[in-house]
Amino acid sequence: MSLKKIQSCLISVFHKDRLEPIIALLKAQGVVIYSTGGTQNFIEEQGAKVVPVEELTSYPSIFGGRVKTLHPKVFGGILYRRDLEGDNAQAKAFEIPSIDLVIVDLYPFEETVASGANEQDIIEKIDIGGISLIRAAAKNYKDVLIVSNRAQYGALESLLKEKGGSSNLEDRRRFAAEAFDESSHYDAAIFNYFNQSEGIEKFKVSERVGQTLRYGENPHQAGQFFGPLDALFDQLNGKALSYNNLVDVDAAVCLIEEFAEAEAAFAILKHTNACGVATGASVREAYLRAFEADTVSAFGGVLICNQKIDLAAAEVMHSLFFEILIAPEFEADALALLKGKKNRILLVKKESLKTTKQYKSLLNGVIVQDRDLLTDEAENFKLVTEKGITSEDKQALVFASKVCKHTKSNTIVLAKNGQLLASGVGQTSRVDALNQAITKAKSFGFDLNGAVMASDAFFPFPDCVEIAHGEGIRAVIQPGGSIKDELSIKYCDEHNMSMVFTGTRHFKH
């Protein structure tokens, strides 16, 4: 493709860092530089000559800097089409110089919002001139090269060196595409800020960091992930995370964040459901108790802990084949041992999830909801039976409810002493879920006498509490809300069982 020589440049940036090598190259290549304000001062400090924008437009920067570059002589110089005779004639008639390169970045709107600044400061960080320059230069990419983010300075520097201060159409189109990404992301952030209070029913999400996955849920499906995953995890070992890995990791992280770090908690998941969850006096003990719940399903699972993985824990889990282990930290000797399996993925979880919304494609659109961030706590329990609950029961019920909340509906969770005994997962009937849990618990040798039962939704009939009583389960936690609640309550009263209502349903589909 034919090259276009860069003979003039407009530079107007908020962030000045990393700009020095660019200025040096432009100076060496004899490029005319237009600029204004703080950017002009910075460029002149680098020893380069600058034509002030005010000199070009015959207008000063006005309204406290709100209007600097918004002028026909600036935008005309960017937008006029060099291959059209009429445009060239008008540019000459109005003494509009061509501008071949635009380097601009935007006021840090998102950073200002994140800082907790007041609304006036936030509004002042809505860029007008910069966003307009970006769109104008990107629109006229056939003639103009647009650099819209300091992250592109390295690519611009290489281009200026390798092509002697020129660019081709392919270069300009690529930079234009990135510029429209910059402007659309910026506008989405501004809209979402305003829409926090306005509640306009529009859906705008912009994730600018992405990666192509090996495939999607199955090998014949393409897959990608968008989001700053590196902000959440450091990967210390293993192959790249797959689509299914990421889905399971999300489920694991959401579950483990229910447990405070004061006590070791460990979970083992398969296909987003926990097959083992336990607390313990040490990470080793918590792992062994979680593994004990289902020694079969743990094979190939995703493991997660809320405390540092030490050597004692690593030694007992190393023999298990598992896909992923997530923890806030790994002791050096534990890490060395666990790295013995080259494909084993080891992730350091650096921070808690901050997202408050969930969304996914559905039918011909997108469905959005708040994340279920409500955890059932003992102080909010409503005792509905004659028999009370002990402090031990309270702890067991809270534990069971946490696991239940993160298990696919319909679900029943059986637990005792900070250990998942079994769960019935994703059943079409709550009775089927309970029977599945009972069968599984017994198959791994658990005694259900004295255990507790959690349900993600109410019991429409007393059949579940009847079955539970027959297995020795002594306490039940459920949301309540059925028109036939009294039937389950009456059965519990007649058979010396305790039951509490939470008032909160935790369906998970």
Side-chain angles (χ1 to χ4, degrees):
M1 295 184 183
S2 61
L3 295 175
K4 278 187 177 286
K5 184 73 175 176
I6 296 170
Q7 297 179 321
S8 58
C9 172
L10 171 65
I11 306 177
S12 179
V13 295
F14 183 88
H15 301 98
K16 314 297 190 296
D17 53 299
R18 293 184 265 173
L19 194 57
E20 295 93 333
I22 305 297
I23 294 168
L25 280 169
L26 295 173
K27 176 185 174 185
Q29 292 169 354
V31 175
V32 175
I33 300 174
Y34 297 96
S35 192
T36 184
T39 306
Q40 176 185 341
N41 295 336
F42 180 81
I43 296 169
E44 289 173 339
E45 288 170 3
Q46 308 303 310
K49 292 182 180 179
V50 177
V51 177
V53 168
E54 293 84 353
E55 183 178 308
L56 173 65
T57 63
S58 300
Y59 269 89
S61 173
I62 56 177
F63 307 130
R66 282 189 166 197
V67 179
K68 291 181 283 192
T69 57
L70 294 168
H71 193 279
K73 284 202 170 182
V74 174
F75 280 84
I78 295 169
L79 283 165
Y80 88 84
R81 292 156 290 190
R82 277 64 159 174
D83 59 348
L84 290 187
E85 185 177 336
D87 282 15
N88 280 288
Q90 284 187 315
K92 183 176 181 181
F94 292 105
E95 298 181 337
I96 296 174
S98 65
I99 297 174
D100 307 315
L101 168 64
V102 175
I103 302 174
V104 63
D105 66 2
L106 300 173
Y107 291 163
F109 177 82
E110 289 178 281
E111 293 87 339
T112 305
V113 172
S115 73
N118 62 52
E119 178 147 297
Q120 184 56 44
D121 289 341
I122 290 170
I123 297 304
E124 287 305 314
K125 288 299 183 290
I126 297 176
D127 206 309
I128 303 300
I131 202 82
S132 302
L133 290 168
I134 286 173
R135 291 179 63 83
K139 177 177 180 175
N140 200 27
Y141 70 88
K142 287 185 177 180
D143 297 306
V144 180
L145 180 65
I146 172 63
V147 177
S148 55
N149 190 302
R150 54 187 166 161
Q152 300 166 354
Y153 288 174
L156 175 62
E157 184 180 353
S158 297
L159 186 150
L160 292 173
K161 288 178 179 178
E162 294 168 8
K163 297 182 178 176
S166 298
S167 67
N168 62 32
L169 185 62
E170 184 180 350
D171 297 325
R172 296 189 296 276
R173 185 179 175 87
R174 186 182 73 252
F175 275 91
E178 292 181 358
F180 284 121
D181 169 58
E182 189 79 27
S183 64
S184 63
H185 176 81
Y186 197 76
D187 285 339
I190 294 169
F191 169 78
N192 286 331
Y193 167 75
F194 277 92
N195 206 37
Q196 291 178 108
S197 57
E198 300 305 321
I200 301 169
E201 291 188 336
K202 307 288 183 182
F203 178 72
K204 295 185 188 298
V205 173
S206 176
E207 288 291 355
R208 309 183 67 199
V209 179
Q211 56 182 293
T212 298
L213 307 174
R214 294 194 300 276
Y215 49 82
E217 199 163 8
N218 298 292
H220 63 277
Q221 297 170 267
Q224 293 174 294
F225 177 80
F226 294 96
L229 198 61
D230 289 347
L232 192 59
F233 301 111
D234 284 332
Q235 183 167 344
L236 306 182
N237 192 65
K239 58 189 177 182
L241 288 161
S242 70
Y243 180 100
N244 290 331
N245 288 156
L246 288 164
V247 173
D248 284 334
V249 166
D250 175 71
V253 168
C254 289
L255 172 56
I256 207 67
E257 288 191 351
E258 297 284 352
F259 297 91
E261 291 184 19
E263 183 178 25
F266 207 101
I268 304 171
L269 291 88
K270 285 288 284 291
H271 299 289
T272 73
N273 292 302
C275 55
V277 186
T279 56
S282 66
V283 172
R284 180 181 185 276
E285 181 186 8
Y287 164 74
L288 288 173
R289 298 183 77 220
F291 178 66
E292 188 180 33
D294 187 342
T295 57
V296 176
S297 297
F299 182 86
V302 172
L303 282 56
I304 189 165
C305 186
N306 66 344
Q307 290 187 3
K308 181 195 298 185
I309 303 296
D310 57 20
L311 182 60
E315 286 175 337
V316 294
M317 68 178 74
H318 181 56
S319 60
L320 174 69
F321 169 72
F322 58 85
E323 289 269 353
I324 303 170
L325 173 59
I326 309 164
E329 193 176 352
F330 292 81
E331 285 188 356
D333 48 4
L335 181 60
L337 175 63
L338 293 167
K339 278 185 170 182
K341 304 289 177 67
K342 67 176 183 178
N343 288 329
R344 177 182 281 162
I345 298 169
L346 304 176
L347 300 176
V348 172
K349 180 174 174 287
K350 298 189 288 188
E351 59 181 41
S352 297
L353 290 176
K354 296 182 174 64
T355 54
T356 59
K357 294 284 185 182
Q358 290 177 312
Y359 44 88
K360 64 179 179 180
S361 61
L362 198 70
L363 299 174
N364 61 346
V366 176
I367 192 166
V368 183
Q369 68 170 352
D370 296 333
R371 281 183 61 206
D372 184 357
L373 298 175
L374 196 153
T375 299
D376 297 324
E377 301 289 356
E379 57 264 30
N380 298 321
F381 289 173
K382 178 184 178 183
L383 181 66
V384 294
T385 52
E386 294 172 359
K387 183 182 178 183
I389 52 174
T390 65
S391 59
E392 181 183 345
D393 289 337
K394 285 182 181 179
Q395 291 178 7
L397 291 168
V398 168
F399 175 90
S401 176
K402 288 177 178 179
V403 178
C404 189
K405 172 184 168 183
H406 295 277
T407 305
K408 290 290 177 69
S409 301
N410 288 316
T411 185
I412 293 289
V413 166
L414 306 179
K416 188 195 301 187
N417 299 327
Q419 181 183 31
L420 171 65
L421 303 184
S423 57
V425 177
Q427 298 300 303
T428 54
S429 153
R430 204 157 297 282
V431 171
D432 286 347
L434 175 54
N435 285 328
Q436 182 189 51
I438 291 168
T439 300
K440 186 172 183 180
K442 288 181 176 179
S443 73
F444 288 102
F446 288 110
D447 180 4
L448 294 177
N449 279 295
V452 302
M453 175 173 74
S455 174
D456 59 338
F458 63 64
F459 298 122
F461 304 101
D463 43 14
C464 282
V465 291
E466 292 173 12
I467 296 168
H469 173 255
E471 299 296 334
I473 291 166
R474 71 183 188 189
V476 179
I477 181 170
Q478 59 137 317
S482 169
I483 59 173
K484 296 183 179 180
D485 276 342
E486 286 303 320
L487 295 179
S488 294
I489 295 170
K490 180 181 178 183
Y491 185 90
C492 288
D493 285 339
E494 290 174 350
H495 295 84
N496 200 34
M497 293 176 70
S498 302
M499 185 158 64
V500 298
F501 286 179
T502 64
T504 304
R505 190 182 72 187
H506 292 293
F507 270 168
K508 188 173 185 228
H509 292 95

